[in-house]
């Protein structure tokens, strides 16, 4: 096992306070009936296992009274923190808000609608302890509508697996456990929360998947329909682009540009030969147009590659993001402030 040990999932004492070992992050959008049961269920599972934890419920602009209930619960319970967003931003943004407020070494995410079962949390943690950076739940017996949910999800999971190279069965399952330092490296946009395993893979994470329980929705209704499939496909394009081009745009665009320009030059040389040596007229030849198009597109692609390289450098350097990720440094004590 070469990943840092998690055995200290108890309180973490630092200079500026005592932090819990585990943060449970829950995005909440109009889930007023489920909330009290959910919070009780999470708390009892974690207390049984004697973990030091905090529950972070992010209210994503609910309109059904979830906001007021959450405020009330946060007043009553010391283990609950409510992050109330100004309006409805969507599940990804809500999760990102929760991740940013989390203080634990391990972060667990799950849905507020009781479809995920908090009783599975210890299983995820046990797997994480084996040395993984991300453990994802797999809803083997998923309780959702077959035609509108299960089928699109099967196709999407297969496609995402192919494109990203991370073949897990169930990208859509919200019940996941992450090492906090992994999440700190990842930025979420659009509806990218379901691609977290793929983003994590780009960051070099070790990923595992374990079967988890899944219940049908008891209260409220699902916030998604078939339309989500298309948004997921668009996000998949983004991921593919990031995975392929983010590190070396010049390798792709520059190479393609050079090939096109080479072809253009070869055809141009042939036409010049006809004109200059054999004194033929070339003004009415379609090949002449092709030469112009090839040279121009080739040049443009090449410049695109150069611009891409510049943008990529700005991206990495402006954010202080190195192009590599270190899992662990062995044999040297790291001090605060040391790189
Ligand atoms: N959710 C959210 N903001 C939204 C939509 C959903 O925070 O705009 C939350 C919702 O409250 C739930 C989770 O995201 O906790 C998953 O939503 P839902 O159960 O509707 O999705 P499904 O399980 O049907 O895929
Ligand atoms: Mg649900």
């Amino acid at each position: 096992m070469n990943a840092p040990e998690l055995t200290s999932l108890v309180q973490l004492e630092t200079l500026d306070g005592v932090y819990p070992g585990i943060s449970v992050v829950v995005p909440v959008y109009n889930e007023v009936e489920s909330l009290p049961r959910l919070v009780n269920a999470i708390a009892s599972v974690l207390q049984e296992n004697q973990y030091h934890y905090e529950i972070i419920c992010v209210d994503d602009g609910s309109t059904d009274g979830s906001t007021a209930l959450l405020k009330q619960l946060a007043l009553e319970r010391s283990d609950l923190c409510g992050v109330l967003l100004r309006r409805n931003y969507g599940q990804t943004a809500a999760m990102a808000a929760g991740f940013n407020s989390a203080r634990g070494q391990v972060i667990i995410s799950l849905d507020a609608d009781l479809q995920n079962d908090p009783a599975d949390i210890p299983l995820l943690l046990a797997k994480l302890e084996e040395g993984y950076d991300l453990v994802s739940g797999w809803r083997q017996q998923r309780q959702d509508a077959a035609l509108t949910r299960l089928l699109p999800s099967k196709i999407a999971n297969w496609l995402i697996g192919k494109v990203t190279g991370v073949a897990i069965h169930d990208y859509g399952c919200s019940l996941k456990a992450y090492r906090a330092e992994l999440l700190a490296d990842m930025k979420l946009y659009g509806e990218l929360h379901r691609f977290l395993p793929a983003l994590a893979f780009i960051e070099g994470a070790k990923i595992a998947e374990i079967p988890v329980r899944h219940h049908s929705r008891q209260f409220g209704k699902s916030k998604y329909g078939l339309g989500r499939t298309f948004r997921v496909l668009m996000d998949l394009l983004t991921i593919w682009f990031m995975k392929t081009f983010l590190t070396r745009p010049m390798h792709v665009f520059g190479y393609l540009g050079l090939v096109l320009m080479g072809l253009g030059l070869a055809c141009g040389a042939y036409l010049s030969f006809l004109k200059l040596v054999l004194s033929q007229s070339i003004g009415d030849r379609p090949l002449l147009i092709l030469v112009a198009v090839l040279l121009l597109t080739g040049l443009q692609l090449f410049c695109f590659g150069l611009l891409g390289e510049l943008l990529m450098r700005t991206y990495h350097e402006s954010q202080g993001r190195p192009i590599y990720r270190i899992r662990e440094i062995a044999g040297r004590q790291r001090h605060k402030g040391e790189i």
Side-chain angles (χ1 to χ4, degrees):
M1 199 197 307
N2 53 5
E5 298 273 348
L6 289 175
T7 34
S8 52
L9 280 182
V10 289
Q11 286 172 337
L12 193 67
E13 276 192 55
T14 61
L15 286 177
D16 46 347
V18 179
Y19 288 157
I22 301 175
S23 301
V24 182
V25 169
V26 189
V28 178
Y29 182 47
N30 295 345
E31 311 277 7
V32 70
E33 298 100 331
S34 316
L35 259 181
R37 290 175 197 226
L38 176 86
V39 173
N40 284 332
I42 298 174
S44 64
V45 167
L46 291 173
Q47 282 165 12
E48 259 167 44
N49 290 275
Q50 294 176 337
Y51 285 124
H52 285 271
Y53 67 95
E54 61 177 356
I55 305 174
I56 300 180
C57 287
V58 183
D59 172 54
D60 188 17
S62 298
T63 50
D64 70 340
S66 300
T67 320
L69 177 63
L70 206 58
K71 274 173 134 170
Q72 181 61 34
L73 286 174
L75 275 181
E76 289 167 7
R77 316 184 55 117
S78 59
D79 57 355
L80 180 78
C81 157
V83 175
L84 315 175
L85 300 185
R86 287 205 173 142
R87 63 167 174 85
N88 177 244
Y89 289 90
Q91 191 179 346
T92 301
M95 289 174 71
F99 292 157
N100 285 339
S101 310
R103 299 169 303 170
Q105 294 160 273
V106 168
I107 298 176
I108 309 269
S109 62
L110 81 168
D111 281 351
D113 54 4
L114 293 166
Q115 289 198 272
N116 300 130
D117 198 326
D120 286 322
I121 294 178
L123 302 180
L124 293 176
L125 290 172
K127 194 77 190 165
L128 208 65
E129 293 258 23
E130 285 177 23
Y132 292 98
D133 300 303
L134 191 166
V135 180
S136 187
W138 171 15
R139 298 164 293 177
Q140 262 177 336
Q141 259 122 39
R142 194 172 155 188
Q143 310 294 326
D144 278 319
L147 204 63
T148 48
R149 305 299 299 275
L150 298 193
L151 186 71
S153 140
K154 258 212 148 47
I155 301 173
N157 281 319
W158 176 81
L159 204 66
I160 298 172
K162 281 272 164 262
V163 170
T164 59
V166 191
I168 62 175
H169 297 88
D170 189 4
Y171 268 90
C173 182
S174 301
L175 182 55
K176 292 189 173 77
Y178 322 78
R179 284 174 193 263
E181 66 266 23
L182 173 70
L183 277 180
D185 283 339
M186 295 196 282
K187 298 272 172 283
L188 292 178
Y189 297 98
E191 289 196 17
L192 288 192
H193 68 271
R194 66 184 45 251
F195 294 101
L196 272 166
L199 291 174
F201 183 69
I202 295 177
E203 301 289 339
K206 276 201 215 163
I207 300 166
E209 188 180 37
I210 59 169
V212 294
R213 281 158 271 205
H214 192 240
H215 307 291
S216 54
R217 213 179 221 284
Q218 300 173 41
F219 308 103
K221 51 181 191 305
S222 171
K223 315 297 179 296
Y224 302 105
L226 208 53
R228 170 163 67 180
T229 314
F230 299 102
R231 295 198 298 275
V232 168
L233 284 181
M234 290 302 115
D235 281 339
L236 183 60
L237 269 180
T238 315
I239 293 274
W240 170 77
F241 182 82
M242 279 173 42
K243 183 168 169 268
T244 325
F245 302 108
L246 202 57
T247 33
R248 295 324 309 265
M250 199 57 186
H251 284 191
V252 182
F253 293 110
Y255 178 73
L256 225 100
L258 280 184
V259 169
L260 292 191
M261 277 198 283
L263 271 175
L265 282 178
C267 297
Y270 170 66
L271 285 182
S272 313
F273 174 76
L274 293 185
K275 171 87 183 161
L276 299 176
V277 180
L278 305 180
S279 306
Q280 289 182 9
S281 140
I282 57 166
D284 55 350
R285 299 207 43 161
L287 194 61
L288 190 63
I289 301 177
L290 186 67
V291 167
V293 172
L294 281 176
L295 285 177
L296 280 179
T297 11
L299 189 70
Q300 271 187 344
L301 279 180
F302 192 78
C303 293
F304 211 76
L306 280 177
L307 278 181
E309 288 281 332
L310 273 185
L311 282 178
M312 187 205 70
R313 280 164 173 65
T314 322
Y315 170 74
H316 281 292
E317 275 158 37
S318 65
Q319 302 187 22
R321 288 171 77 95
I323 55 169
Y324 54 82
R325 294 280 176 269
I326 296 176
R327 179 180 300 281
E328 187 183 355
I329 291 186
R332 181 162 54 121
Q333 202 62 43
R334 290 177 80 182
H335 299 290
K336 225 180 164 187
E338 187 184 337
I339 300 170

